[in-house]
């Protein structure tokens, strides 16, 4: 636990002037496992860089954009407010997506890779035919994402069904539909796998299932689909 604890116990702090205005800022969440505990599926080096550098960068830039937005709105600077929306979407989406992604992973000792059971397992069978069919669909669609993005298993609360969707860049699943709730997402940006798998994204997608946290996905499913 020493390596992760050393790095993650120094989250980004909200600046005092922002706090005094009541502006909410965000900090890097701790991981519930050590960086090396997902090996061999995902290396410790990738996890450390992904969490400490990439996720932190999204948070830093998100907070900066929020500060600028707050200042622009206070001045009635509408052009700047509009201009900042893309940075807020990209960096805020990066924070939202990665916060989910860390929970979507678990070491084998903690149940990582165990197939879903209970109500989520039944829903997967009903919507996709089998768990294996779902895995194949998500793997194929994740591999086919052009450039950078995500592949998601989501719950459509409006139609009471499971869906597989992909999103570009750091767009959260909700950008594909207001009623969509992410259950399990896989990051297919190169920073999520390149140090270990080079340019062979399908190999990463094949192995990430070995540490998928279906317990967490099941908890969200049961909460959002009572």
């Amino acid at each position: 636990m020493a390596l992760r604890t050393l790095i993650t116990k120094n989250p980004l702090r909200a600046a005092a002037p922002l706090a005094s205005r009541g502006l909410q800022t965000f900090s890097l969440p701790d991981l519930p496992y050590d960086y090396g505990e997902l090996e061999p599926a995902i290396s410790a080096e990738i996890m450390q860089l992904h969490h400490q550098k990439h996720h932190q960068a999204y948070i830093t830039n998100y907070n900066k954009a929020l500060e600028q937005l707050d200042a622009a709105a206070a001045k009635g600077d509408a052009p700047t407010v509009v201009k900042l929306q893309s940075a807020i979407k990209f960096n805020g989406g990066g924070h939202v997506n990665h916060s989910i992604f860390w929970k979507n992973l678990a070491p084998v000792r903690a149940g990582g890779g165990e197939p879903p059971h209970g109500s989520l397992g039944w829903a997967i069978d009903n919507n996709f035919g089998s768990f294996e069919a779902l895995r194949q669909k998500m793997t194929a669609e994740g591999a086919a994402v052009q450039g950078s993005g995500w592949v998601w298993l989501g719950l459509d609360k409006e139609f009471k069904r499971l869906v597989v969707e992909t999103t570009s860049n750091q767009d959260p699943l909700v950008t594909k539909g207001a009623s969509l709730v992410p259950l399990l997402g896989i990051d297919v940006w190169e920073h999520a796998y390149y140090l270990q798998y080079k340019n062979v994204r399908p190999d990463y997608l094949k192995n990430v299932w070995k540490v998928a946290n279906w317990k967490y996905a099941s908890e969200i499913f049961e909460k959002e689909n009572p």
Side-chain angles (χ1 to χ4, degrees):
M1 296 293 289
L3 177 61
R4 179 182 64 81
T5 302
L6 176 64
I7 294 173
T8 63
K9 291 301 182 182
N10 185 28
L12 185 68
R13 302 298 182 186
L18 301 185
S20 66
R21 294 200 302 268
L23 179 64
Q24 174 69 55
T25 56
F26 298 87
S27 59
L28 187 68
D30 285 345
L31 300 185
Y33 41 77
D34 284 347
Y35 291 127
E37 286 193 274
L38 302 182
E39 291 186 339
I42 306 176
S43 72
E45 183 181 18
I46 286 177
M47 288 299 298
Q48 179 179 341
L49 289 172
H50 198 172
H51 179 252
Q52 179 191 2
K53 299 297 185 180
H54 291 280
H55 190 175
Q56 181 65 76
Y58 293 124
I59 292 171
T60 299
N61 292 327
Y62 187 35
N63 285 333
K64 180 180 178 181
L66 290 175
E67 179 182 5
Q68 293 172 338
L69 178 67
D70 185 60
K75 294 187 297 183
D77 184 354
T80 298
V81 169
V82 173
K83 181 180 178 180
L84 287 167
Q85 297 309 306
S86 61
I88 290 171
K89 179 183 179 183
F90 179 77
N91 292 293
H95 175 46
V96 168
N97 289 346
H98 283 86
S99 296
I100 296 169
F101 184 57
W102 308 134
K103 296 176 182 179
N104 284 161
L105 303 173
V108 173
R109 63 162 179 80
E114 293 181 4
H117 301 290
S119 57
L120 178 57
W122 282 105
I124 289 172
D125 288 345
N126 289 335
N127 285 267
F128 303 103
S130 68
F131 174 62
E132 183 58 30
L134 169 65
R135 285 205 315 176
Q136 291 179 7
K137 181 176 178 61
M138 289 188 68
T139 297
E141 295 200 15
V145 170
Q146 294 184 355
S148 301
W150 294 74
V151 59
W152 301 93
L153 172 66
L155 168 65
D156 188 326
K157 295 184 67 174
E158 181 179 356
F159 294 100
K160 301 294 184 180
R161 66 184 181 188
L162 299 178
V163 297
V164 170
E165 294 279 359
T166 60
T167 56
S168 300
N169 300 313
Q170 290 299 345
D171 291 358
L173 180 59
V174 71
T175 60
K176 286 296 186 79
S179 65
L180 296 181
V181 176
L183 302 179
L184 188 139
I186 301 175
D187 188 346
V188 293
W189 279 65
E190 286 189 344
H191 66 232
Y193 62 86
Y194 199 87
L195 288 176
Q196 184 174 355
Y197 294 97
K198 301 300 185 275
N199 63 324
V200 190
R201 185 191 288 177
D203 284 356
Y204 158 70
L205 288 166
K206 175 183 176 182
N207 286 316
V208 75
W209 294 112
K210 298 175 182 178
V211 289
N213 187 0
W214 288 103
K215 291 181 180 178
Y216 175 78
S218 294
E219 290 173 2
I220 300 301
F221 177 76
E222 292 173 7
K223 176 184 176 181
E224 299 291 344
N225 186 51

